Amino acid sequence: MNTAAGLWLAVFASGLYHGLNPGMGWPLAVSAALFEQRQSALWRALAALGVGHLLAMIGILLPFGAMYLLVDYQREIRLAAGAVVIAMGAYLVINRRHPRFLSRVKPSRLALWSFLVATAHGAGLMLVPIYLGLCRVEELDAGHQAAYELMSRNILIALLVALLHTVAMIGSGGAVAWAVHRYLGLRFLKQGWFNLDLVWAFSLILVGVVGIWAAL
Amino acid sequence: MNLRPDPTFYPSPKDAIEAPAETYAFTLMFSPDASQPDGLAVVNVDPSSAQYGKVVHQVIMPNKGDEFHHFGWNACSSSLSPLSGHAFLERRYLIIPGIRSSRIYIIDVKDPLNAKIHKTIEPEEVFAKTGYSRPHTIHCGPEGIYVSTLGGAGADGTDGPPGIFILDCETFEILGRYEMDRGVQDKHYDFWWNLPRDYMVSSEWGLPPQFENGLVPEDLLSNKYGHSIHFWDLRDRKNVQTIDLGENHQMALEIRPAHDPAKKHGFCGVVVDTTNLEGAIFTWWQKDDGTFEAKKTITIPPQPAEADDLPEMLKGFGAVPALVTDIDLSMDDKYLYVACWGQGEMHQYDVSDPMNPVLAGKVEIGGIVKQTAHPNGKAFGYGPQMVEISRDGKRVYWTNSLYSAWDDQFYPGDRGAAMVMAKAENGGFELDPDFWVEFPDGYRSHQIRLEGGDCSTDSFCYPSV
């Protein structure tokens, strides 16, 4: 498997991982379906969660994509991005508290909540080293290009990364939500909800370390 | 922090009903004359145990004069929503406020037989950080632990309105006031909510000078106690509607929303109607346009009595009012229990149709006039008061004291603490002759909490379908 395929796979796998984590919202889709007693409500809620998550990814990736145009500093940018991701992970290890402003978001505003919860937990940051790696691989393939072409290419990759990740996230979260609503019942919530706080924080650190290692 | 959600968090009321039965109850006891410190009694309620019905452990506080009243858990089933972000809290601490001292104790009951004080919040801290006093009802919710208060600032608690403040659910630090826009709300008592529908309902008793030294008859007869319920946008922290139940409906106390969050109604008990001495229950509900309405759905008439059988306060009326001092709704939202503290009756209403409650059962015990004894032959002082229902709805526990100064007005003399239990199976309910808790001398008993949550602690984020 070549590097690009491996990185795209990482984008997809991180989406599955985010989706399966109840903290990213799939139980809210089950709740919506139970409230309205209609399966369609489950898909609507998932769509709202997906839109919020997608925007959170794009919001983090695009600025890094723009910065990456500074061709002379690409290595530094990748090192800095890795450091930022590690710092976020370390922060989450030390500060295990849930940001309180999230509990002020109304239950009816699922997309906003999904955006904020993904941002607050560094879900987008987890993708940054992978994304920068993809930009680099594509660049090596394409050779030298004009800045304009570079930019549109980086933006396109950012959108594709965010989209693929979100599709995987909604796919896995949606599958669990559907199974719980349809077959497993609410009790699965208690059986299948693991405290991933530390695992999540260490995932960020891991991704950051790999990103730095690849840039060196 | 747990690695999986606490086993006593239940996604829906249905899951709570199906959970294992409680084996311990926690009952507050207080010293009416402040001659000894208040305490938390741990009562064994496991019928298979040799200690059944006995106080098996006591946590006695280091201070006197707190006057324990209501209390609640640090965490409950509401934690199971991703919106809360606190799925891995433990249901482990009881938050016990003293309504006379404004001191708050955090009691660790992880091991009920070794329950102990975890933290104490001194009154000065409550005053300084909130401007409120006399903390009362506890509920765990989205932003932490919500604590309602009965008093504002100042020595007599009338400098500014009372309200709700929030405690951090992990460190138990006071975070500050809840309200951003309280509207016309100027008194407080109970509150509860529907979390997914994002509304809160609060009620009114009276200001501290109206209760701390006893009921003030002139204030009651001129309708100066609370008679409104307030509806709030929970997360916007804003009073969006106030419904005046009518000024004759004095003291709108307990708020009991349906447990199933898919339902949009609840109940509120009114102690006494000053035009006819009736007790009343109002059903309130949210309409499709999001606004609220309330309607009186139960009335309990006064019972004629000889002046000689009545305390000073009631002699002129020739009747004993029901005095609806507590109500509690079963987990399946089917039965509403109504404590008629004055008459010595506990009523069970079938509220399957919340707009048309039907009296389904009645237990007589205690009472100003009737003074009905327990089936075991022992005298039950005062009347049925704080009532708590097991999650499965099969056991209904209650105690007998209302509030030290008010007990003495309606039931002169010291009549002791009591805690009894009625079995509610196959329709109706009746007292269990074998369940009778003896408390230490000099104490009165107040609110009961059941191990693993009960019908007035847990709020749910998933419907029961």
Side-chain angles (χ1 to χ4, degrees), chain B residues 375-395:
Chain B
N376 68 6
K378 296 196 174 164
F380 181 91
Y382 313 99
Q385 220 285 98
M386 294 311 297
V387 50
E388 198 45 71
I389 311 161
S390 64
R391 293 180 293 275
D392 59 13
K394 291 178 180 164
R395 293 164 303 285

Side-chain angles (χ1 to χ4, degrees), chain B residues 69-301:
Chain B
H69 206 65
H70 291 205
F71 64 136
W73 292 102
N74 66 313
C76 74
S77 303
S78 67
S79 302
L80 281 181
S81 168
L83 294 172
S84 86
H86 291 120
F88 302 102
L89 288 174
E90 286 177 274
R91 187 199 297 270
R92 171 168 179 174
Y93 302 98
L94 284 167
I95 320 295
I96 311 181
I99 46 170
R100 212 168 267 277
S101 65
S102 300
R103 189 176 287 109
I104 301 174
Y105 299 94
I106 317 290
I107 310 292
D108 182 351
V109 297
K110 189 179 175 79
D111 175 4
L113 296 179
N114 288 303
K116 52 185 182 290
I117 297 175
H118 170 74
K119 180 181 175 175
T120 307
I121 303 173
E122 291 298 331
E124 295 72 28
E125 191 180 342
V126 175
F127 303 149
K129 290 188 175 167
T130 69
Y132 294 148
S133 62
R134 297 150 178 93
H136 188 258
T137 302
I138 307 289
H139 279 299
C140 37
E143 292 189 63
I145 300 162
Y146 296 59
V147 183
S148 78
T149 61
L150 304 179
D156 68 354
T158 55
D159 185 2
I164 292 172
F165 66 87
I166 302 179
L167 278 182
D168 186 282
C169 60
E170 292 174 53
T171 62
F172 307 113
E173 288 291 316
I174 295 176
L175 296 174
R177 286 188 176 202
Y178 162 78
E179 298 84 2
M180 290 190 173
D181 177 0
R182 70 172 71 248
V184 298
Q185 176 258 318
D186 62 357
K187 295 182 212 65
H188 221 298
Y189 186 72
D190 197 23
F191 71 100
W192 216 359
W193 46 46
N194 182 318
L195 295 176
R197 294 192 186 279
D198 199 29
Y199 65 73
M200 180 177 91
V201 190
S202 72
S203 64
E204 303 183 332
W205 183 13
L207 293 175
Q210 294 179 294
F211 61 80
E212 283 196 323
N213 300 310
L215 184 146
V216 182
E218 306 80 60
D219 278 11
L220 180 63
L221 295 176
S222 53
N223 296 329
K224 285 188 180 148
Y225 284 87
H227 47 82
S228 292
I229 50 177
H230 307 279
F231 297 88
W232 304 74
D233 182 315
L234 175 62
R235 288 171 178 84
D236 273 356
R237 301 173 163 196
K238 192 174 165 213
N239 178 356
V240 290
Q241 192 181 343
T242 291
I243 295 182
D244 188 340
L245 303 176
E247 62 167 14
N248 51 312
H249 295 113
Q250 287 286 286
M251 296 182 254
L253 297 187
E254 311 300 328
I255 297 288
R256 302 292 181 219
H259 296 94
D260 186 342
K263 295 175 186 154
K264 301 198 271 188
H265 71 271
F267 303 89
C268 175
V270 171
V271 176
V272 66
D273 180 338
T274 49
T275 57
N276 53 18
L277 290 188
E278 278 178 354
I281 307 294
F282 281 75
T283 303
W284 51 262
W285 69 97
Q286 187 180 36
K287 295 187 286 187
D288 289 338
D289 66 0
T291 62
F292 296 87
E293 212 165 308
K295 184 176 172 239
K296 184 153 61 173
T297 49
I298 298 173
T299 56
I300 303 166

Side-chain angles (χ1 to χ4, degrees), chain B residues 24-25 41-45 49 51-58 112-113:
Chain B
Y24 290 105
V42 181
V43 180
N44 183 313
V45 294
S49 163
Q51 302 288 312
Y52 181 56
K54 291 197 167 68
V55 174
V56 287
H57 180 64
Q58 299 173 34
L113 296 179

Side-chain angles (χ1 to χ4, degrees), chain A residues 97 104 106 187 190 195, chain B residues 3 18 168 198 233 235:
Chain A
R97 318 238 340 146
R104 290 289 311 278
K106 297 190 155 297
R187 282 185 188 185
K190 292 170 67 174
N195 191 341
Chain B
L3 286 177
E18 291 164 0
D168 186 282
D198 199 29
D233 182 315
R235 288 171 178 84

Side-chain angles (χ1 to χ4, degrees), chain A residues 21-37 49 95-110 113-114 117 121 180-181 185-199, chain B residues 1-12 14-15 18-19 79-88 142-144 146 166 168-171 175 180 194-198 233-237 261-263 461-465:
Chain A
N21 182 356
M24 288 283 145
W26 67 256
L28 298 170
V30 179
S31 177
L34 291 172
F35 256 86
E36 295 192 26
Q37 300 194 36
L49 292 169
N95 178 18
R96 311 277 292 282
R97 318 238 340 146
H98 185 79
R100 201 158 67 92
F101 71 88
L102 284 172
S103 51
R104 290 289 311 278
V105 180
K106 297 190 155 297
S108 54
R109 310 192 68 182
L110 281 187
W113 177 81
S114 174
V117 84
H121 292 95
V180 167
H181 180 238
L186 282 170
R187 282 185 188 185
F188 181 79
L189 251 191
K190 292 170 67 174
Q191 295 152 359
W193 196 338
F194 294 91
N195 191 341
L196 293 176
D197 290 358
L198 270 187
V199 175
Chain B
M1 282 287 164
N2 286 334
L3 286 177
R4 294 233 293 228
D6 190 302
T8 71
F9 293 169
Y10 319 101
S12 72
K14 185 167 166 282
D15 296 302
E18 291 164 0
S79 302
L80 281 181
S81 168
L83 294 172
S84 86
H86 291 120
F88 302 102
E143 292 189 63
Y146 296 59
I166 302 179
D168 186 282
C169 60
E170 292 174 53
T171 62
L175 296 174
M180 290 190 173
N194 182 318
L195 295 176
R197 294 192 186 279
D198 199 29
D233 182 315
L234 175 62
R235 288 171 178 84
D236 273 356
R237 301 173 163 196
K263 295 175 186 154
C461 301
Y462 304 86
S464 276
V465 215

